[in-house]
Amino acid sequence: MSTLVSEDLRVTGIVQGVGFRPFVYRLAEALGLSGEVGNSATEVFISVAGTAAAVDEFIDRLHTDAPPLARVDEIRRSSRSGGTAVAPGPGGRTSFRIVDSRQDSGPRTIVPPDAAVCDRCVAELFNPGDRRFGHPFITCTNCGPRFTIITGLPYDRPATTMAGFPMCPACEREYADPLDRRYHAQPIACWACGPSLAYTDAHGRMVDGDPIRLAATHLRSGGIVAIKGVGGFHLACDATNVGAVQELRRRKRRPDKPFAVMAADMSGARRLARIDIGVADQLLAPAHPIVLAEARAASVLPVAVAPGNPLIGVMLPYTPVHHLLFAAGLGPLVMTSANMGGEPIVYCDDDALNALGSIVDGFLTHDRPIARPCDDSVVRVVDGRLLPIRRARGFAPVPVRMPSATRSVLAVGGELKNTFCLAGGGDAWVSQHIGDMESPATLRAFEDSTTAFSTLYAVEPEVLAADVHPGYAASRWARNRSAEVVEVQHHWAHVASMIAEYGLDPDTQVIGASFDGTGYGADNTIWGGEILIASGRSFHRAAWLEPVPLPGGNGAVAHPSRMAIAHLHAAGLLLSPGLPPVRETDANELAILTAMLDRTINCVPCSSMGRLFDAVASLLGLRHEITYEAQAAIELENLALAGTSRPVPLAFAWHGDRFDPSPIVATIAQAMEDGAGASMRARLAAGFHLAVAQVIVEAAKRCHTVPVNRVALTGGCFQNA
């Protein structure tokens, strides 16, 4: 006779809004088990009874067979006494059921990220016999908006922005049937009960006709259309129309930064870029991010889409609206976030009209509210491995597990490309990309998002963690709160975050190469080329890039030529008129810069590796002024990758605990004086990159006198492939 057992299970992870309860129901039915399953604000709870073997298999398969969007982090088991035989019900079925959600207290469950519309829904979208044929909001438990529509937990329809759309009888039947693909799919809708699309002109006046066809007509004729998606508006135009692309650049005041392009399907993406297996996997992943890939030389895209850049940001349609637009006969579309540079994405209809009315020719919008903005994620694949560039839609707000964390903390993030992090109950929830905090609009978005996270996860921060920089807007915001504030050095934060990401004990020490553009140092200078011996609790600066004066402070960030002149000056080299940064600098400005450097007036010492990349880019004649962050470094990387012959050997000089780029600067300057052509400049660019790699290796060897066997590479410079 089989042993009968009864167990209570508590399942945590991404287990709500992903079809987990109907999966549990079907699995229990298949294994002949009795019991129940339900949601709470903190977990999925399961009571199950049956033979010991069946219960063990059930628990194993909760891990191995979970739905595609689910992630099971932990299953806590507790046995109940008095297990009884499982009596078959009518038709031989056992009595397993799905019960109503319940409220409880404790660490909240994980909110699932938004997912691209799945293949089955797309098939129904274009099936004339399906009742959702052409419906622009088709979804199921395996796809669709989640993070951007959730307003509370547990994840049920009243706690989403779909609460204002009562289900019709047909949708209610699907929603209530555990065997249906749309069982408890909270965004479920159809033509009879769902949100609706509309097309308006630039002044918000409704235009009669099919919204999809109206938008497609305007795009096809060279117009610019704002399209409301799951996390905000995009600005769209025909990516093959050079006039439309240039006009979008003019209206958005974005002269150089590359635009992302959406292709209709994978074959369309392959016509635009070189798609290897790693890139294809990311394009087709549930997140459907923007993936940076090498542009094809014979691409139909004009240079204006990504000027001076051999890479193109490609993505595939991830909403039903996108699929319907391409079905209307459109080619590839520029799809760029609807915002001005550095500001948060526009996501509310009223704000869109005010902010975008002067930019667009029309709006393709809908009446489902967006609970919180969420930009597109941007990723790159390097040697087959995922390198996130911007973590947003499809990734946020999946947390980093931090079981050792005992206090609730809000870490407010940095100044540029801000994200914040809320930690509590063993999880650290990293927000979506917010924007550059120099903008009042971004600060408001930051405040709204931190409040939303705190409410959603029921975590009231005891401590605010802020960058030590006295001028950062997020840090000033933290210091003006009533909570305890802990100030953290910028580059140590980079290394500590990596220790957490990789699940290491906070006491574990690593050798951290923390390379970026700017960070306020512990000695009140500007850091950015740091080798730290660090744990999650402390750090010391073991080695660093030889500092040079930063002429004019932050003003030098937008002018790589100034950094090149500063490095030439620090190396004791003449400012020869034959050198590109000298040649491109006005005589009066050059005189002022020289005087500032000679007398160290308005010059903060700077050990930034990011600024050294800028200086080398200017020395090689690539870029002397930038219009977006890291533009010069990106172009320098592209030049290095273009080289087909042997890199020029370059090396830093070591002076105690400092590595000095003066020999590199001198070699490049001499080569440029000698009239280096395109091939030589590419060899020099490649040699510089190899020199940076080699100095990290040498620094790690020098630091290995302490018992540390891990090296962490972190900071913005490491977005360079």
Side-chain angles (χ1 to χ4, degrees):
M1 181 175 177
S2 300
T3 303
L4 301 176
V5 298
S6 299
E7 295 213 25
D8 289 331
L9 310 175
R10 298 291 180 264
V11 187
T12 54
I14 303 177
V15 289
Q16 294 189 18
V18 292
F20 195 76
R21 286 176 298 169
F23 154 70
V24 170
Y25 175 91
R26 291 190 291 269
L27 180 59
E29 288 274 293
L31 294 174
L33 300 175
S34 290
E36 63 184 30
V37 59
N39 280 344
S40 76
T42 65
E43 63 195 7
V44 167
F45 57 88
I46 304 171
S47 295
V48 64
T51 67
V55 170
D56 285 343
E57 181 180 351
F58 173 81
I59 294 170
D60 287 342
R61 289 174 65 181
L62 290 180
H63 281 289
T64 61
D65 297 358
L69 299 182
R71 190 189 83 190
V72 176
D73 289 342
E74 183 181 18
I75 300 176
R76 299 190 303 279
R77 303 173 61 169
S78 58
S79 298
R80 285 186 287 117
S81 59
T84 58
V86 184
R93 296 176 66 180
T94 54
S95 54
F96 197 91
R97 63 196 182 112
I98 298 172
V99 297
D100 291 340
S101 298
R102 67 190 187 196
Q103 290 289 341
D104 58 3
S105 59
R108 295 297 184 101
T109 190
I110 298 174
V111 173
D114 302 309
V117 60
C118 68
D119 290 344
R120 291 182 69 180
C121 283
V122 172
E124 292 173 348
L125 181 68
F126 293 112
N127 178 3
D130 193 277
R131 73 184 191 89
R132 291 188 176 87
F133 174 59
H135 182 55
F137 301 94
I138 191 168
T139 186
C140 70
T141 53
N142 294 326
C143 67
R146 300 292 190 272
F147 173 61
T148 52
I149 64 169
I150 291 174
T151 58
L153 291 171
Y155 176 51
D156 289 318
R157 194 179 181 94
T160 73
T161 60
M162 289 295 294
F165 300 93
M167 285 179 278
C168 67
C171 284
E172 278 190 326
R173 284 192 295 272
E174 294 170 330
Y175 183 85
D177 182 358
L179 300 180
D180 193 281
R181 192 170 99 253
R182 293 186 170 89
Y183 174 77
H184 275 235
Q186 307 308 340
I188 188 174
C190 70
W191 288 109
C193 62
S196 58
L197 281 181
Y199 189 83
T200 74
D201 65 15
H203 303 288
R205 295 184 294 247
M206 196 77 69
V207 181
D208 291 334
D210 176 11
I212 293 289
R213 294 199 176 279
L214 289 167
T217 298
H218 279 84
L219 290 165
R220 198 178 294 112
S221 63
I224 298 167
V225 176
I227 301 173
K228 186 177 179 182
V230 295
F233 282 83
H234 282 107
L235 300 176
C237 73
D238 179 353
T240 66
N241 185 327
V242 64
V245 175
Q246 290 173 337
E247 180 63 13
L248 177 55
R249 287 201 176 280
R250 187 190 68 79
R251 294 186 192 180
K252 195 180 177 184
R253 301 197 296 274
R254 181 169 166 169
D256 299 309
K257 191 174 182 180
F259 284 140
V261 176
M262 181 177 283
D265 50 31
M266 187 61 81
S267 64
R270 293 188 191 281
R271 288 192 289 273
L272 304 178
R274 299 186 184 280
I275 309 294
D276 61 20
I277 293 174
V279 170
D281 286 347
Q282 292 305 317
L283 285 171
L284 295 169
H288 271 40
I290 298 168
V291 185
L292 301 182
E294 183 184 352
R296 287 197 175 277
S299 167
V300 295
L301 299 178
V303 172
V305 169
N309 199 319
L311 302 179
I312 189 75
V314 184
M315 61 177 157
L316 296 179
Y318 59 84
T319 72
V321 169
H322 297 152
H323 285 279
L324 292 168
L325 283 170
F326 285 113
L330 294 174
L333 295 173
V334 163
M335 293 285 262
T336 185
S337 303
N339 60 352
M340 290 302 185
E343 293 193 353
I345 188 171
V346 175
Y347 72 104
C348 296
D349 291 271
D350 290 344
D351 292 341
L353 190 60
N354 294 329
L356 307 176
S358 61
I359 299 177
V360 303
D361 302 307
F363 291 87
L364 179 60
T365 186
H366 59 76
D367 56 355
R368 181 179 66 201
I370 297 172
R372 62 190 55 79
C374 194
D375 230 321
D376 292 318
S377 292
V378 182
V379 304
R380 191 171 181 181
V381 178
V382 179
D383 287 341
R385 298 183 65 180
L386 177 66
L387 176 65
I389 304 296
R390 182 172 72 195
R391 184 182 182 276
R393 179 186 51 77
F395 293 90
V398 177
V400 175
R401 289 290 298 148
M402 294 186 65
S404 60
T406 56
R407 302 183 75 184
S408 56
V409 180
L410 172 64
V412 299
E415 187 78 346
L416 300 179
K417 297 181 173 64
N418 178 275
T419 60
F420 63 84
C421 181
L422 180 68
D427 283 312
W429 293 281
V430 182
S431 79
Q432 73 277 29
H433 168 262
I434 303 294
D436 294 350
M437 295 294 285
E438 300 157 332
S439 157
T442 309
L443 183 58
R444 288 192 297 272
F446 167 86
E447 290 181 316
D448 291 345
S449 293
T450 55
T451 300
F453 265 59
S454 182
T455 302
L456 187 62
Y457 294 112
V459 173
E460 187 63 36
E462 305 167 68
V463 180
L464 301 179
D467 195 293
V468 296
H469 197 296
Y472 279 7
S475 299
R476 289 199 305 270
W477 180 89
R479 295 183 195 108
N480 290 331
R481 306 297 108 181
S482 57
E484 176 188 350
V485 176
V486 174
E487 295 190 339
V488 183
Q489 200 282 321
H490 185 96
H491 300 94
W492 177 35
H494 273 307
V495 180
S497 68
M498 243 186 144
I499 290 171
E501 179 187 352
Y502 279 80
L504 303 180
D505 185 278
D507 289 314
T508 301
Q509 282 195 321
V510 301
I511 300 166
S514 190
F515 289 178
D516 62 7
T518 300
Y520 196 70
D523 58 358
N524 301 325
T525 67
I526 300 301
W527 288 8
E530 314 309 312
I531 304 293
L532 308 178
I533 303 295
S535 70
R537 304 192 191 279
S538 64
F539 80 97
H540 75 268
R541 193 185 191 197
W544 57 94
L545 181 68
E546 182 74 56
V548 300
L550 187 69
N554 280 342
V557 174
H559 296 85
S561 58
R562 296 182 187 175
M563 287 311 306
I565 289 166
H567 273 281
L568 289 167
H569 183 275
L573 300 172
L574 291 174
L575 300 183
S576 167
L579 294 174
V582 179
R583 187 172 61 245
E584 295 296 324
T585 302
D586 175 83
N588 290 332
E589 182 185 353
L590 187 61
I592 293 170
L593 286 171
T594 303
M596 290 168 62
L597 293 167
D598 285 341
R599 302 171 190 172
T600 61
I601 298 171
N602 196 20
C603 290
V604 180
C606 171
S607 64
S608 165
M609 184 62 76
R611 298 289 79 81
L612 177 60
F613 273 80
D614 287 351
V616 172
S618 178
L619 280 170
L620 290 172
L622 285 175
R623 177 66 55 179
H624 308 295
E625 186 174 349
I626 64 171
T627 61
Y628 63 91
E629 190 193 7
Q631 183 177 8
I634 289 168
E635 292 179 1
L636 181 62
E637 176 188 355
N638 293 334
L639 180 62
L641 292 172
T644 56
S645 52
R646 184 171 55 84
V648 174
L650 299 171
F652 290 80
W654 280 87
H655 307 306
D657 44 19
R658 290 162 292 131
F659 41 101
D660 182 0
S662 292
I664 296 173
V665 172
T667 301
I668 294 175
Q670 186 61 57
M672 295 302 291
E673 285 268 55
D674 293 342
S679 175
M680 174 56 73
R681 293 191 305 125
R683 290 181 59 203
L684 289 164
F688 170 70
H689 283 78
L690 288 177
V692 175
Q694 288 160 356
V695 85
I696 296 168
V697 173
E698 177 61 26
K701 289 178 179 177
R702 289 170 179 244
C703 292
H704 198 57
T705 53
V706 296
V708 179
N709 64 358
R710 289 184 176 90
V711 178
L713 310 178
T714 182
C717 290
F718 289 102
Q719 290 186 341
N720 181 311

